[in-house]
Amino acid sequence: MIDFGTLTDLAAREGIQRIGVGVVVRDTSGRILMIRRAAHDLLPGLWEYPGGGREDGEDVPAGAARELAEETGLTGWPLEYVRHLDFTSQYGNRVRQFVFTTVVPDGTPVTLSRDHDDHRWAGADALPATGDGQREVVEWLALRLAVPGWRPVGGYLTTIARPSAYGSLLVTDPQGRILGLRSAINPAVWNFPGGNVEHGSTPFATALIEAEEELGLDLAEENPEVVARRRLVAVVHEQAGTEYPVPVCSYVFDGVAPRGAL
C-alpha cells in the first residue's frame, strides 16, 4: 500500500545518503521498549528503540522486521508505519530512518543481540538516556496516541479508499469570512470542515457528513441549494511524502452556511 520505493527515491533527491529503519515497540500498558548498547558497540550505554540500517535491495518494512528480530527476538508482530526521523550519523552521513510501531502483550520475553546488554519498558515521559531525535519520535507518538481514534498512518491508510481522496467544504458567513477548524492532533494546522473518503462514499458526501460531525451543521437540510448545486471550488493534489506516504487529491466544495448558522 505504501510505496517505500517512491519514498526512498524522494529521500535521495533531498540529499539523504542512507536509509534506516526503527521500531517503537509498545506493550499493552503503553510502555516503550528501550534497549541499551553494549560496552563494545558504538555509543556504548546509549538507550534506543530497536533499529538499524536497511540492507541493499531490502524492502523497508522487511528491514524493520529484520532489525526488530535481530535485536530483540520479537518476530511476527504487525508493523505500522508511523513517521520518519532525519539525523546525521557518527560518520557524517545524512540518514532518514523510517519508523514503525507495534504492540505486544505485557511481559513478552525479549532476547537481546550481543550488541545490546540490557532492556527496559519505560513510559514516554520517563525514557532512559537516549538521543534527542528518538526521544522526539517517542514523545510525538505518545501525544498522538492520546488523541481518541488516532492510528498510525500505516494502519489508518487501510481504512480509507485508494487512492486517498479528501472532501471538504469552504464555509463562509454572510460577510464572506471563511470558517477554519484547528486540528486537535497538530494545533498549528487549520483545516476546512472535511475528512478522508471512506470506502463506498464520495468526496461530496464525505464533506457533508464531516460538516455535520465537526460543526453540527446539516447543510442538506438547512441549505439544500448548496447540496443541489454541488459547486466544486478547488481540487488540490499533494504528492506522497514521508509524513503522509500516499498521494492525496482534495476536493473543496462550496459550503456557504445558512444565515445565522454560525
Side-chain angles (χ1 to χ4, degrees):
M1 177 171 295
I2 297 175
D3 186 352
F4 283 99
T6 296
L7 299 187
T8 54
D9 288 345
L10 173 64
R13 292 196 297 271
E14 294 177 358
I16 299 298
Q17 297 164 291
R18 288 194 61 215
I19 296 297
V21 291
V23 182
V24 178
V25 181
R26 298 133 50 208
D27 67 9
T28 47
S29 294
R31 298 173 301 179
I32 309 298
L33 175 62
M34 301 294 288
I35 55 181
R36 188 175 68 187
R37 288 178 179 258
H40 65 269
D41 198 12
L42 293 170
L43 304 176
L46 180 69
W47 291 84
E48 60 189 2
Y49 51 70
R54 183 191 64 162
E55 296 182 351
D56 290 342
E58 186 176 45
D59 186 54
V60 170
R66 174 185 53 76
E67 286 288 342
L68 180 62
E70 291 176 355
E71 296 187 346
T72 68
L74 298 174
T75 60
W77 298 100
L79 304 182
E80 291 185 335
Y81 174 65
V82 175
R83 56 166 284 178
H84 76 278
L85 167 65
D86 287 349
F87 61 93
T88 301
S89 74
Q90 60 267 34
Y91 303 110
N93 293 322
R94 293 186 62 196
V95 180
R96 174 158 296 169
Q97 181 188 77
F98 290 96
V99 183
F100 297 78
T101 190
T102 192
V103 180
V104 302
D106 289 2
T108 297
V110 173
T111 304
L112 295 175
S113 71
R114 63 180 301 273
D115 292 331
H116 295 88
D117 61 10
D118 196 7
H119 78 280
R120 70 173 64 169
W121 296 90
D125 59 350
L127 297 178
T130 187
D132 291 342
Q134 291 212 352
R135 185 179 301 278
E136 176 189 342
V137 167
V138 171
E139 292 177 347
W140 178 93
L141 178 60
L143 285 173
R144 278 153 178 75
L145 288 169
V147 177
W150 187 86
R151 185 176 179 183
V153 64
Y156 172 67
L157 289 174
T158 65
T159 70
I160 57 177
R162 307 258 54 81
S164 184
Y166 191 93
S168 64
L169 292 171
L170 180 66
V171 179
T172 58
D173 68 6
Q175 287 74 47
R177 295 175 299 180
I178 297 171
L179 174 67
L181 300 179
R182 185 162 60 189
S183 169
I185 296 174
N186 185 353
V189 173
W190 290 77
N191 297 309
F192 299 148
N196 285 300
V197 179
E198 297 181 352
H199 297 287
S201 189
T202 66
F204 187 73
T206 296
L208 291 177
I209 292 169
E210 293 290 336
E212 185 168 5
E213 291 179 352
E214 297 176 352
L215 300 172
L217 187 62
D218 186 351
L219 283 178
E221 179 178 345
E222 299 182 38
N223 204 359
E225 62 269 24
V226 171
V227 177
R229 187 167 57 238
R230 299 194 181 198
R231 187 169 73 91
L232 184 64
V233 176
V235 177
V236 182
H237 183 268
E238 298 181 35
Q239 291 289 358
T242 50
E243 293 298 325
Y244 201 79
V246 294
V248 180
C249 193
S250 299
Y251 298 84
V252 184
F253 297 93
D254 182 13
V256 175
R259 186 175 300 276
L262 298 177

